[in-house]
Each structure stands twice: as structure tokens, then as C-alpha cells.
Amino acid sequence: MTYKFSQLADFGWSSFFSDQLNSSDTEKLIPVKVSEVHRAKIRVLAPNFDEYVPPFYAKKSDNEARAIVGDWLLLDKNTFEPARLLTRKSLLKRLAPGKGRRAQLIAANIDTLFIVSSCNQNFNIARIERYLTLAQDAGVHPVVVLTKVDLTDTPQDYVKQAKTLLPDLDVILLNAKDPTSVEQLLPWCNKGQTAAFLGSSGVGKSTLINTLTGDDQIATQDVRQTDDKGRHTTTSRELHLLSTGGLLMDTPGMRELQLTDVQMGVEEVFSDITDLALTCRFRDCKHQTEPGCAIRTALESGDLEETRLQRWKKLSEEDQQNTQNLAKRHAREQSSGKMAKRSKKGK
């Protein structure tokens, strides 16, 4: 299989990735984009190329070193065996739900994150802040997409609430079933751009994908009338090619978004609070009863809402705790792996 590297631009290829190649790489290897990941195989794409290859781990002991949707892999030109994983431009991840938690990788090399919420009981400021934190920390452009406008008489109220979360935040109000309405998302779906949809179940992510692609290939389900919660329609992550040249990723709905290693994202999303904290009299101020606390002063004057302060504290503490726990777990696994190698070598 041969193609010109310029043709890879349709799949999001840029100088960021080409700079990672040397002359030996271009002679023996070919870059491909990971579009689907399954337990026993992954689907990869390139110009005139669509194949399944074995899963790839750059390091067996490192969960973040495995190829995921959005990644660029280098394959052997003759055998199509994965040989190397290119450094990512961006990475979205969360703490996996359930016991024995690990970092769960969501998507790689995303340019835009569409944060999807609906104009009903699903709309949740704290949840949207979490998605914004995820995007800001990864260096991905966030766009809040508000669906199901027919369920409220005051859709602009939802827009106003969302816009308070981040300066100059793009907030789009649309009908996910109306192609003309959904065209508002096209500026972020041009040739070579990669966007991902994130949001809880039932907010209309799959419907948006179907409308943008002009195809009903993804099944959709109605939400429960009692609480506006949806059931998982999408069960895996997959890239979809658009006629505009962009790539879209649909993801399973998330009922829980525990963040880890996103300190920079927290500081950016809550920059109003972190900036205030820098002006407190004491560097180690706990923002409780200390004299000269700028945050308490802002609360008393009404410049800062108590609910936003509490969300900042909760997210900051959660991130710190999860990051420490994952670092300890990673250290244990690394140590265990080294011991196993020494034991095997001794035998």
C-alpha cells in the first residue's frame, strides 16, 4: 500500500506527527489512524486503506501506552503489524468507574470537544464544568451543545447559564434532528479536523452523528419520562467520516466522570477563584475563617456564589486524591512487573 503523505491531512495528519518520523520510518512504515478499538483487534484507516490489525501496547505495563481511537499508529508496510504509537497531540481520559479503578482513555488527538447536554432535567452545571475541565487540561477547544430545545419555553436561560462557566465559551442551541440546525457545528468539522461528542446517555449524541453524516447507522433510544435519563445506545467509540472532510467520534454516555491529573484544567475553568486565592493574605489560606481571605470577601459581596466555590473545592480535592491514588497504583504495577521479569530471568 502506498499513498502521498499529503493525503493524510484528511485524517487529521499534521506537522506535529510528521516531525516524529525519520527517513527510516518513511521507508519501512506507514501511518494509519485508529478508528475503532475492540478487545482482539483494532480498525485503522488511511487513504484507500481500511483494515483490522492486532491491538498495540507501546508498554505492556502502562495503560496509557495502548492505542485508542484517534491515535496514529505506524504499521509495517509488508506485514501491516503495528510497530509504533506516535506521541499524541491531545488525550482525554477519566478515572474508570467501579472497583480497582484505572485511568480510562477516552480519545486521542481531538481538536474540538462537543459537550452535549439537553434542555431538561439532564442539564447540570457541575457536570458541564467537569467536561470543560477535561477539555481545557487536554488543550482541546470546548463547545457546549444544547439539544432538545422543544422541551422548554425558555431555551436561552440554559444558554446564559452555560456561558457563565468560561469566558468566550461557544454555546450552540440546536435541534439534533434538523440538518439545518445542526449545520451550526460545521465550522468545527472541516477537512482534517477531529471532534468528539461527550455527554450523558439520552442527550442526543447519536442523533447528532446521524444528522451530520446523513445516515441512520447509529441506533437511538428514547429517554425515561420520569427523570429524562437515557439508556446507553452507543457502546463503543468510533470515528465517522463527514462529507466536509472532518472526523467525528461518538462515545458511550457517561453517568460518572471522575477526573484525574487535570490540575491545569481546574485552574482554567475556575480561574475566577484561583486568581482570587492568589490575593489572600496567607499563602496557605483555607478560605474559611482566615483574616484577609479574598475568597470570603468575594462571597460576602456577592461577587462569588457559594455553590461555585463548593464545586471548585470538590473538583480540586477529587483530582488531587485520584491523581495520587493512580500514581501509587502505577508505581506498584511497575514494581510488580520488574519483580516478575527478574524472577523469570532467574529461572
Side-chain angles (χ1 to χ4, degrees), residues 124-137 161-162 164-167 169 259 262-278 287 295 303-319:
N124 184 293
I125 286 293
R127 184 188 300 127
I128 295 175
E129 281 175 337
R130 285 173 177 266
Y131 286 120
L132 287 173
T133 299
L134 192 68
Q136 292 294 100
D137 193 81
Q161 290 183 67
T164 64
L165 300 179
L166 204 63
L169 177 64
L259 300 183
V262 291
Q263 181 181 348
M264 289 181 60
V266 173
E267 291 177 356
E268 290 185 28
V269 173
F270 293 91
S271 60
D272 54 332
I273 298 178
T274 54
D275 288 347
L276 275 174
L278 293 175
H287 318 303
I295 287 180
D303 292 333
L304 175 63
E305 294 182 356
E306 179 69 35
T307 52
R308 181 166 170 79
L309 175 63
Q310 293 307 316
R311 294 198 302 270
W312 169 67
K313 286 184 176 180
K314 180 179 180 180
L315 200 52
S316 298
E317 292 170 359
E318 173 188 306
D319 172 57

Side-chain angles (χ1 to χ4, degrees), residues 12 44 75 128 144 206 211 217 228 235 258 294 296 299 333:
V44 294
L75 303 186
I128 295 175
V144 175
S206 296
T211 303
Q217 59 183 320
D228 292 328
T235 57
Q258 284 272 321
R296 302 311 305 181
L299 287 172
E333 291 177 344

Side-chain angles (χ1 to χ4, degrees), residues 80-275:
F80 293 158
E81 287 291 314
R84 187 158 64 109
L85 177 67
L86 295 185
T87 299
R88 295 155 176 150
K89 181 172 64 175
S90 64
L91 175 64
L92 301 177
K93 63 181 180 180
R94 66 165 177 170
L95 195 66
K99 296 181 179 179
R101 294 186 165 196
R102 294 172 176 264
Q104 182 184 55
L105 308 187
I106 301 172
N109 300 316
I110 298 298
D111 300 302
T112 300
L113 180 63
F114 290 126
I115 301 167
V116 187
S117 183
S118 49
C119 298
N120 54 14
Q121 293 180 58
N122 175 273
F123 185 86
N124 184 293
I125 286 293
R127 184 188 300 127
I128 295 175
E129 281 175 337
R130 285 173 177 266
Y131 286 120
L132 287 173
T133 299
L134 192 68
Q136 292 294 100
D137 193 81
V140 173
H141 180 71
V143 178
V144 175
V145 180
L146 301 178
T147 63
K148 305 192 177 182
V149 295
D150 58 312
L151 299 181
T152 177
D153 295 327
T154 56
Q156 288 300 327
D157 288 349
Y158 292 91
V159 175
K160 290 178 181 178
Q161 290 183 67
K163 280 186 171 293
T164 64
L165 300 179
L166 204 63
D168 302 318
L169 177 64
D170 290 307
V171 181
I172 306 296
L173 194 67
L174 53 73
N175 179 346
K177 297 180 180 180
D178 180 5
T180 302
S181 182
V182 173
E183 283 181 357
Q184 296 178 82
L185 303 183
L186 294 183
W188 298 283
C189 302
N190 289 321
K191 182 177 179 179
Q193 293 181 307
T194 304
F197 286 108
L198 284 184
S200 53
S201 300
V203 295
K205 300 188 303 299
S206 296
T207 301
L208 280 168
I209 291 279
N210 287 339
T211 303
L212 281 165
T213 58
D215 190 358
D216 292 333
Q217 59 183 320
I218 305 175
T220 59
Q221 296 180 344
D222 294 330
V223 300
R224 296 198 298 258
Q225 296 299 317
T226 53
D227 56 9
D228 292 328
K229 291 184 178 179
R231 292 167 288 177
H232 292 292
T233 301
T234 301
T235 57
S236 62
R237 297 167 182 84
E238 179 181 356
L239 281 178
H240 303 269
L241 298 175
L242 294 177
S243 59
T244 58
L247 297 118
L248 283 177
M249 184 188 299
D250 192 14
T251 63
M254 294 184 182
R255 292 193 176 95
E256 180 181 357
L257 183 63
Q258 284 272 321
L259 300 183
T260 179
D261 198 21
V262 291
Q263 181 181 348
M264 289 181 60
V266 173
E267 291 177 356
E268 290 185 28
V269 173
F270 293 91
S271 60
D272 54 332
I273 298 178
T274 54
D275 288 347

